[in-house]
Amino acid sequence: MTRGDGDAPRRRVLLLIASSTYKAEDFLDAASTLGIDVTVGSDQQQTLAELTPGTSLQVDFRELDRSMAKVLELHADYPFAGVVAAEDEGVLLAAAVGETLGLKQTPPEAAARARRKDFFRACLQVAGLPCPPFRVFPLDADPAELATALSRSPGFPCVLKPLALSAGRGVA
């Protein structure tokens, strides 16, 4: 905890954001309104990081072990009361941080399943819950085999979505 105005302790949240985000300002404004200190964990070094210690941390969302070590090192000096992933890229790291620090957070296994549409839909099917039909095709699929497979598709509407992008990015 850090001290804000007067002697009241302020809580610190780790906000995990991709450098391409458009959401950072909204999260930072909300934290300011609530009187919460923020450490921004991003895949790019923040320009003002050296001016205010504890407010920025460069992480690699694909390297969970290395990023977790950086988070835990910073947590020792600037303890986090919570962790929030603003986008899909940070969900797995947020889940791992939350579990390690004993914070309320989505369990890592659930985060991994939820961020991949095919994993999530397979879970729905196993549980006997309604789920739209889906198929997964490798990027290097033979075009003729892909055309044959798509001709046997369940029909329209049909959505093509890459597994690695979040929200509506890459949807055709």
Side-chain angles (χ1 to χ4, degrees):
M1 306 279 189
T2 57
R3 299 279 176 192
D5 296 340
D7 290 332
R10 289 176 53 120
R11 295 164 40 123
R12 177 171 296 277
V13 170
L14 173 62
L15 174 63
L16 299 172
I17 58 173
S19 58
S20 61
T21 188
Y22 60 90
K23 302 174 185 176
E25 187 175 349
D26 292 334
F27 278 96
L28 295 173
D29 286 347
S32 177
T33 298
L34 295 170
I36 297 172
D37 292 328
V38 176
T39 296
V40 174
S42 181
D43 53 349
Q44 295 282 326
Q45 182 64 38
Q46 304 300 306
T47 54
L48 299 177
E50 298 85 30
L51 298 178
T52 311
T55 60
S56 177
L57 178 66
Q58 186 174 358
V59 296
D60 184 337
F61 296 120
R62 296 164 297 172
E63 295 286 337
L64 288 182
D65 290 339
R66 189 176 319 157
S67 294
M68 176 64 89
K70 286 180 162 184
V71 168
L72 294 178
E73 184 178 328
L74 188 65
H75 173 74
D77 293 325
Y78 301 93
F80 305 118
V83 58
V84 175
E87 285 109 5
D88 188 55
E89 291 87 350
V91 168
L92 295 178
L93 181 56
V97 168
E99 181 177 66
T100 300
L101 297 179
L103 303 173
K104 290 183 180 181
Q105 186 67 17
T106 302
E109 182 179 331
R113 289 180 188 215
R115 74 183 290 256
R116 285 248 334 238
K117 309 278 186 284
D118 57 329
F119 289 172
F120 179 69
R121 289 189 172 157
C123 288
L124 291 175
Q125 286 180 334
V126 167
L129 297 170
C131 174
F134 70 97
R135 301 196 46 199
V136 177
F137 299 99
L139 290 175
D140 61 351
D142 176 63
E145 290 178 25
L146 186 56
T148 300
L150 290 173
S151 71
R152 289 184 251 145
S153 73
F156 292 96
C158 180
V159 176
L160 299 177
K161 171 110 177 74
L163 295 176
L165 299 177
S166 63
R169 295 184 297 170
V171 173

